[in-house]
Amino acid sequence: DTGALTSLNNKVDIVDGNMRKLTILFFFSIVLAACSENNENVFDAPVRSLKTEKSFTLSGSPMELCGEKPDVISDLFVYDSTLLLKGTVKDSPFMIHAYSLDDKSFKGSYIAKGRGENELLSPHFEGLVQEGIYIFDLNLCSSYCFDYVKSSETHNSELSHLVKLPGNTLYAYPMGDKHLALVPEPEDFVGKIVDGNGAILNTVSIYPHVSGIDFFSRLSSASLLGQSHKKFAMAMCRLPQVNFLDLETGDKYTMAISKEYKNWLNMLNGSDEDLRYYYLSCTQSSKYFMALYFGGATRQERREGVLPHLHVFDWNGGFLYDIALNESIESVAFDEMDNKLYGVDSNDSVYRYDMSE
């Protein structure tokens, strides 16, 4: 019967079609499950849920600096027994202001804002090089060496250009005779290792599966490259996690401070009102990576003044100390020579903390 045969063939086609759909759905489910398992955190690396080895509270001593103190202090650095503050002083073109850590005396102002010789637009302290302080300028997409010792002798800004970095570089760090540049890309946020001529030697994936271009502000971190080794540490601003990347071996792992690190997809796609503040500043020594932790504070809570904690890690990711600070500081720098931590609050007050114990 031709009609019966046609009907049977149609049923077989329907069954085959349904089987193909089920196979595709089954395969897609496996892929989703694999992605979910691998992407438990935005860093896509093994997670260590940590509890600190020791907790205590620490109070700072106010520093009454001599001379005119800058306003809107946005960065600080310790070098050669000198505290360097990035900020503005009325009627002064200079952005960097120096004070003695011994007697708090004013030692000069350096690096005027501009595009001329020995001028910069947006300098950021990012570490040390052999001749002085490594400074990255976001607006000029270049890195420089600030020879502070020579500057203090000549009373001029002794600044030398180190390298022109890849386009769209958001952060840069010294890496021996090389440089690490962080660059957002359409499907990743990568680290590009460049030589002294700006040639790209290697590219390392940092946040795979995420558009760095779309989400670079929400992926921001308080980050530093270890000066005595090649480990890069990233304390995330919007998530309670600290990521470590070994640039020599490629090993990566993340330290979860609380379970909210799993909410990374909601963080990326949520509203600005729902964003929380976790880490906002960091500093380092040869043994430790230290980051200022705000515990998921809202924007309003930060305005009202949140007392942060200083989280101290070793360079292998061990969570050594959780130090509750009694001052609402927002930026930190560490003096390894004297074991002192320096912090600045939103009112531009400077505090010193004894870390020798």
Side-chain angles (χ1 to χ4, degrees):
D1 187 312
T2 303
L5 182 60
T6 301
S7 177
L8 179 62
N9 287 336
N10 288 339
K11 290 179 180 179
V12 169
D13 289 340
I14 292 171
V15 170
D16 286 346
N18 288 337
M19 287 300 294
R20 282 195 295 271
K21 290 178 183 178
L22 287 173
T23 301
I24 292 171
L25 286 172
F26 179 68
F27 176 76
F28 189 57
S29 298
I30 292 175
V31 171
L32 281 178
C35 288
S36 176
E37 181 179 351
N38 292 335
N39 298 330
E40 182 183 5
N41 67 89
V42 69
F43 194 50
D44 196 21
V47 179
R48 304 176 189 172
S49 296
L50 296 179
K51 290 188 177 180
T52 183
E53 294 183 10
K54 187 175 181 181
S55 301
F56 57 93
T57 301
L58 192 62
S59 295
S61 302
M63 291 187 66
E64 297 299 330
L65 302 175
C66 300
E68 191 166 8
K69 192 176 68 174
D71 298 320
V72 196
I73 299 172
S74 59
D75 204 1
L76 68 162
F77 198 80
V78 175
Y79 183 78
D80 192 36
S81 299
T82 302
L83 178 64
L84 300 170
L85 301 176
K86 177 189 171 186
T88 59
V89 170
K90 187 178 180 180
D91 300 326
S92 172
F94 298 104
M95 296 179 284
I96 307 299
H97 311 277
Y99 300 85
S100 168
L101 291 178
D102 296 324
D103 60 11
K104 306 183 183 69
S105 61
F106 175 67
K107 300 182 69 174
S109 295
Y110 306 94
I111 309 182
K113 187 169 186 176
R115 295 181 178 270
E117 184 178 3
N118 292 321
E119 294 180 341
L120 295 176
L121 293 176
S122 180
H124 298 273
F125 303 119
E126 300 294 3
L128 296 173
V129 288
Q130 187 172 358
E131 301 81 8
I133 302 169
Y134 187 96
I135 289 181
F136 166 61
D137 192 306
L138 174 66
N139 294 49
L140 299 175
C141 201
S142 289
S143 290
Y144 302 81
C145 173
F146 175 42
D147 189 336
Y148 171 71
V149 173
K150 188 175 180 180
S151 297
S152 63
E153 293 171 351
T154 64
H155 303 290
N156 292 311
S157 301
E158 301 292 342
L159 202 63
S160 57
H161 182 261
L162 294 177
V163 65
K164 181 68 174 178
L165 295 157
N168 297 326
T169 295
L170 293 181
Y171 311 92
Y173 307 89
M175 190 177 171
D177 59 350
K178 304 178 184 67
H179 310 262
L180 174 66
L182 299 193
V183 183
E185 293 190 342
E187 296 181 359
D188 202 343
F189 199 112
V190 303
K192 296 187 178 184
I193 299 173
V194 303
D195 64 16
N197 296 316
I200 299 172
L201 304 176
N202 190 22
T203 299
V204 181
S205 174
I206 296 178
Y207 295 117
H209 319 299
V210 176
S211 172
I213 291 177
D214 291 339
F215 298 113
F216 69 87
S217 63
R218 298 193 179 198
L219 294 172
S220 62
S221 299
S223 305
L224 283 172
L225 180 58
Q227 300 287 287
S228 56
H229 40 72
K230 299 299 184 292
K231 290 183 179 178
F232 186 53
M234 295 160 277
M236 300 193 71
C237 176
R238 300 301 188 182
L239 291 169
Q241 69 183 73
V242 179
N243 308 317
F244 285 84
L245 172 62
D246 191 319
L247 293 169
E248 290 186 333
T249 66
D251 292 340
K252 54 192 297 190
Y253 42 91
T254 189
M255 265 44 66
I257 305 304
S258 68
K259 63 182 181 180
E260 283 77 18
Y261 79 91
K262 296 181 180 180
N263 298 333
W264 63 277
L265 278 173
N266 292 334
M267 180 275 293
L268 290 179
N269 297 294
S271 67
D272 290 343
E273 290 74 19
D274 292 332
L275 292 175
R276 296 291 184 269
Y277 292 90
Y278 290 95
Y279 291 100
L280 290 183
S281 180
C282 66
T283 186
Q284 68 169 302
S285 70
S286 57
K287 294 182 179 180
Y288 307 118
F289 173 73
M290 295 164 267
L292 207 56
Y293 183 70
F294 287 81
T298 63
R299 184 177 300 177
Q300 182 60 35
E301 287 170 339
R302 276 203 62 218
R303 288 196 191 103
E304 295 171 355
V306 176
L307 294 180
H309 289 223
L310 185 74
H311 287 176
V312 181
F313 303 86
D314 62 32
W315 283 100
N316 292 318
F319 189 9
L320 304 180
Y321 304 104
D322 178 7
I323 306 172
L325 303 177
N326 282 328
E327 292 74 32
S328 186
I329 60 173
E330 298 195 336
S331 298
V332 289
F334 186 68
D335 180 8
E336 189 164 10
M337 296 282 292
D338 203 27
N339 283 318
K340 298 292 193 300
L341 179 80
Y342 294 86
V344 177
D345 68 13
S346 59
N347 296 315
D348 300 315
S349 298
V350 181
Y351 296 89
R352 176 160 50 192
Y353 300 84
D354 187 352
M355 303 280 286
S356 58
E357 296 182 6

